[in-house]
Amino acid sequence: MSTRKRFATIWLGGCTGCHMSFLDMDEKLLELPALADIVYSPLMDVKTFPREVDICLVEGAVNTESDLRMLRSVRESSVSLVSFGDCAVAGNITAMRNTGGKKAALQSGFGSMGEALAVGDDNPLPQLLAQASPLHQYVAVDYFLPGCPPSAELIWYVINELLHDRQPVLDREKLRYG
Amino acid sequence: MSEIRTLTIDGEMISAPAGATVLDAAREHGIRIPTLCHLDGLSDTGACRLCLVEIEGNNRLQPACVTRVEEQMVVRSSSPRIEKYRRMILELLFAEGNHVCAVCVVNGHCDLQDLAYDVGMDHVRFDYLHPQREVDSSHDRFVLDHNRCILCARCVRVCDEIEGAQTLDIAGRGVASWIVSDLEERWGEARSCTSCGKCLLVCPTGSLFEKGLRHADSSRKADFLRYMVNVTRRQK
Ligand code: SF4
Ligand code: SF4
Ligand code: SF4
Ligand code: FES
């Protein structure tokens, strides 16, 4: 029986920037597989989110119905869920559409087609929720890692603490928004 | 000769001139109380409630910047209860406006951010309101972005008390309050504005900024006020 941790990352309504910062961890990326099995990530070729994950970093706000389904299943399968980046923690850029409403957002993105995209039931596109929201609006979040994106050092600090069963603490020196 | 009051702050016996605020007295003795709407050189309004302290014999927390020292007063500047409220106040300020630090001109030089870091605010527990607010860029040189405004009224006070123009004011009530120029005109049409730019210097957030400002140039210089006030006092 191996006691290796099972580690995952996923993105919802984000820009992938947080994952780019994750890749910026450089040589730490090589240390990670020594400490944990990476069982799911958009950077890997795995189709379905596995069960029994120890730590999952979730990038992006909850923006669409499919984001919400995904988030719920991640929550069910993961021991520690980390809100990864300002969009996940606070809505941030993704939630800027909330001030004008869903219709206006679709119109600005898709012009006159926006209306049709907003209502069609048989529509293949993920349906936008009325508002984009931080993860903790829907599920319990264990750790918050703000930043747009969080720095590679900070990401490593949090991952490394969690992999060693320590509590990451973001104090004045470590906290950054934006 | 001014009278002296003796009081205790955080267990330390200190004396302060009668009429001084608890904030003045604390600072004089190196005790740091966080503030947001207070600025040395401007009158105090007690608008933000960040400087709350406990005063023995009074169940309600009191804002240090508008509470005068009294003989035998016993003050605590920090406690779990105070910390709890401070963080809550900051979270509410973030939830009430549209603070998207990633695209804000003062990101990294923002008093509001700094205070939130101090209390370890890693997330906001309240629902964000996402109010629909305007950006007034009608002025030749300056922009007023209502999305970031926390209604501290520093701009209103500097415009009135230092520049003497009285261009800026607060209109409306509660969450619908907002900063207006002259008689709710666009800033660019407000004839009383001298374009001195003092409001930009005292704004603790990214609400007031200069057109064409690059993010990297956005550091604030609110200290200029202390200098100005000292010079004026000396001239008198
Ligand atoms: S927090 Fe910033 S970098 Fe991360 S997904 Fe959102 S916009 Fe992109
Ligand atoms: S004013 Fe400060 S807290 Fe608000 S968005 Fe700008 S940097 Fe962030
Ligand atoms: S514009 Fe700036 S200085 Fe004026 S009330 Fe708003 S936050 Fe305060
Ligand atoms: S600093 Fe005292 S109430 Fe704002």
Side-chain angles (χ1 to χ4, degrees):
Chain A
M1 231 325 278
S2 113
T3 54
R4 283 167 61 79
K5 296 266 194 244
R6 289 162 60 79
F7 177 84
T9 75
I10 187 168
W11 62 46
L12 306 176
C15 78
T16 78
C18 293
H19 272 76
M20 295 304 128
S21 192
F22 178 85
L23 290 179
D24 272 345
M25 290 197 303
D26 299 334
E27 79 282 358
K28 301 293 183 202
L29 279 177
L30 303 177
E31 273 178 50
L32 184 57
L35 292 167
D37 294 329
I38 306 175
V39 291
Y40 186 90
S41 171
L43 312 165
M44 298 165 53
D45 190 18
V46 181
K47 294 283 181 275
T48 49
F49 197 84
R51 312 284 312 166
E52 294 178 8
V53 171
D54 289 297
I55 300 154
C56 183
L57 305 189
V58 185
E59 168 187 323
V62 188
N63 195 32
T64 65
E65 284 170 12
S66 98
D67 289 342
L68 184 53
R69 276 194 300 275
M70 200 61 221
L71 177 66
R72 293 218 158 105
S73 92
V74 168
R75 178 64 282 185
E76 252 171 51
S77 311
S78 314
V79 178
S80 292
L81 191 155
V82 183
S83 271
F84 179 28
D86 279 352
C87 290
V89 172
N92 194 37
I93 308 281
T94 313
M96 283 175 77
R97 74 168 172 92
N98 294 359
T99 50
K102 174 169 152 180
K103 222 176 180 179
L106 284 163
Q107 242 153 27
S108 79
F110 300 98
S112 55
M113 279 173 64
E115 198 86 25
L117 290 167
V119 289
D121 268 345
D122 49 351
N123 194 315
L125 290 177
Q127 294 292 293
L128 283 186
L129 294 164
Q131 297 225 310
S133 313
L135 309 186
H136 63 272
Q137 204 114 332
Y138 291 105
V139 299
V141 167
D142 302 296
Y143 301 97
F144 296 88
L145 172 48
C148 181
S151 72
E153 297 77 52
L154 192 62
I155 300 171
W156 176 245
Y157 163 75
V158 169
I159 297 177
N160 194 37
E161 294 299 287
L162 291 175
L163 288 177
H164 288 95
D165 294 315
R166 292 187 298 254
Q167 303 275 323
V169 180
L170 300 198
D171 55 10
R172 176 166 227 312
E173 303 316 312
K174 293 203 175 65
L175 270 178
R176 286 293 170 276
Y177 320 137
Chain B
M1 222 189 82
S2 72
E3 279 181 70
I4 296 295
R5 300 278 179 267
T6 316
L7 65 158
T8 313
I9 304 184
D10 295 344
E12 212 181 308
M13 281 282 271
I14 66 178
S15 52
T21 64
V22 171
L23 180 67
D24 294 335
R27 287 200 172 161
E28 193 64 34
H29 290 80
I31 297 166
R32 190 182 163 271
I33 297 175
T35 56
L36 193 49
C37 66
H38 168 88
L39 195 61
D40 288 346
L42 296 181
S43 65
D44 279 306
T45 58
C48 75
R49 294 333 230 203
L50 223 73
C51 63
L52 289 176
V53 293
E54 278 174 9
I55 294 171
E56 229 173 76
N58 190 337
N59 226 339
R60 294 176 55 169
L61 299 174
Q62 299 295 322
C65 69
V66 288
T67 304
R68 309 274 154 198
V69 293
E70 278 168 33
E71 190 63 29
Q72 303 293 320
M73 201 181 220
V74 178
V75 181
R76 286 181 63 146
S77 78
S78 98
S79 72
R81 178 165 163 238
I82 295 175
E83 306 310 326
K84 184 179 121 192
Y85 280 108
R86 257 181 213 148
R87 170 152 178 186
M88 205 187 278
I89 290 164
L90 285 163
E91 287 182 39
L92 286 168
L93 288 175
F94 275 83
E96 220 171 68
N98 295 312
H99 293 276
V100 189
C101 301
V103 291
C104 181
V105 275
V106 297
N107 186 15
H109 310 282
C110 171
D111 291 0
L112 182 61
Q113 263 185 343
D114 268 353
L115 288 161
Y117 296 155
D118 278 342
V119 301
M121 189 188 96
D122 60 358
H123 74 291
V124 169
R125 290 162 295 178
F126 305 102
D127 288 357
Y128 288 92
L129 297 185
H130 300 291
Q132 220 166 346
R133 294 195 192 158
E134 268 181 60
V135 179
D136 183 349
S137 55
S138 60
H139 193 284
D140 283 345
R141 287 170 48 205
F142 311 139
V143 181
L144 171 49
D145 181 351
H146 293 280
N147 290 290
R148 316 281 193 244
C149 180
I150 54 167
L151 295 168
C152 67
R154 281 189 185 188
C155 56
V156 174
R157 282 172 286 150
V158 83
C159 184
D160 172 19
E161 296 165 16
I162 308 292
E163 179 61 8
Q166 297 188 341
T167 305
L168 301 175
D169 209 339
I170 296 183
R173 279 165 170 275
V175 275
S177 309
W178 64 315
I179 297 291
V180 294
S181 2
D182 279 1
L183 299 165
E184 296 203 29
E185 280 140 300
R186 310 278 297 160
W187 196 2
E189 280 135 38
R191 306 219 347 235
S192 66
C193 174
T194 61
S195 300
C196 72
K198 289 187 182 71
C199 50
L200 276 65
L201 294 173
V202 299
C203 180
T205 71
S207 317
L208 288 166
F209 57 93
E210 190 148 4
K211 281 186 182 169
L213 180 84
R214 283 179 312 134
H215 165 235
D217 304 330
S218 65
S219 68
R220 299 281 171 175
K221 294 175 186 67
D223 279 356
F224 86 98
L225 254 191
R226 203 176 314 185
Y227 171 77
M228 275 189 59
V229 170
N230 281 340
V231 171
T232 353
R233 263 193 213 133
R234 226 168 285 150
Q235 282 170 351
K236 279 180 193 158

